Amino acid sequence: MLLTTNNLAKSYGAITVLNEVSFIINAGDRVGLVGGNGVGKTTLLRVLTGQEEQDSGTYSFAALVEVGYLPQTTPEFYGQTIEDLILQAAGNLRQLEERMRQLESAMATADEAELPALLEAYTEVSTKFQDRGGYDLDYKIDNILHGLRLDYLPRQQQVSTLSGGEKARVGLATLLLRSPDLLLLDEPTNHLDFASLAWLETYLSNYAGAMLIVSHDRQFLNRAVNQI
């Protein structure tokens, strides 16, 4: 189980938006979260990311699970270029790669008693690196930027100078580059044209991690998720 919630509740004054919400997300789950405006979909994601505090109930993530969150309102990214954000997003893959090199060195000099534990750790790290596209990182960067129609932008351009739609797509692109174990996406299809939307549907349907997606787009959900 990647995420477990138990009886989450949240009210604003006399208005209750979350009432005893319980669910589990396992590896491989692609969950669509639907409902009318104001019923608490965004509030739930904000609670799960620590931006709001629940009134009661609990939630917990599995140990070492990386969570990526796409809010409806895109940060301004002041002082950062597109290239800066790409390098930050790829950082966790670079860290995994460095850990693989460290384990390889350790295995080369390990005695017989130490080797099984090192080999197990190496298998876990290298599998995660492969599943997240680490061996194809440069291709992955180009593919995501092209798919979200961002490849025409100079990578040294300040993100704060982009339009609202471009900022939103840059935010989505860098989140996808991070390849977290669990994606929490709040209306990810906002600011996407038809071609970008079609690309995102395909990308998410093949995504190795789990996801919880808030969306009003029924066609998108039909193609991207496997439960509602």
Side-chain angles (χ1 to χ4, degrees), residues 10-59:
K10 176 70 177 178
S11 298
Y12 298 99
I15 301 174
T16 298
V17 292
L18 301 177
N19 182 29
E20 298 187 353
V21 176
S22 300
F23 63 91
I24 292 170
I25 294 182
N26 294 303
D29 286 347
R30 300 197 303 272
V31 183
L33 183 60
V34 299
N37 291 327
V39 299
K41 303 185 300 299
T42 292
T43 299
L44 175 61
L45 296 193
R46 289 179 60 82
V47 168
L48 295 176
T49 53
Q51 298 181 44
E52 300 260 3
E53 187 172 348
Q54 71 270 30
D55 297 330
S56 60
T58 61
Y59 66 91

Side-chain angles (χ1 to χ4, degrees), residues 174-192:
T174 53
L175 180 59
L176 295 179
L177 282 172
R178 278 181 49 206
S179 300
D181 302 302
L182 174 60
L183 287 169
L184 304 177
L185 305 178
D186 197 351
E187 298 288 357
T189 61
N190 289 351
H191 309 291
L192 299 185

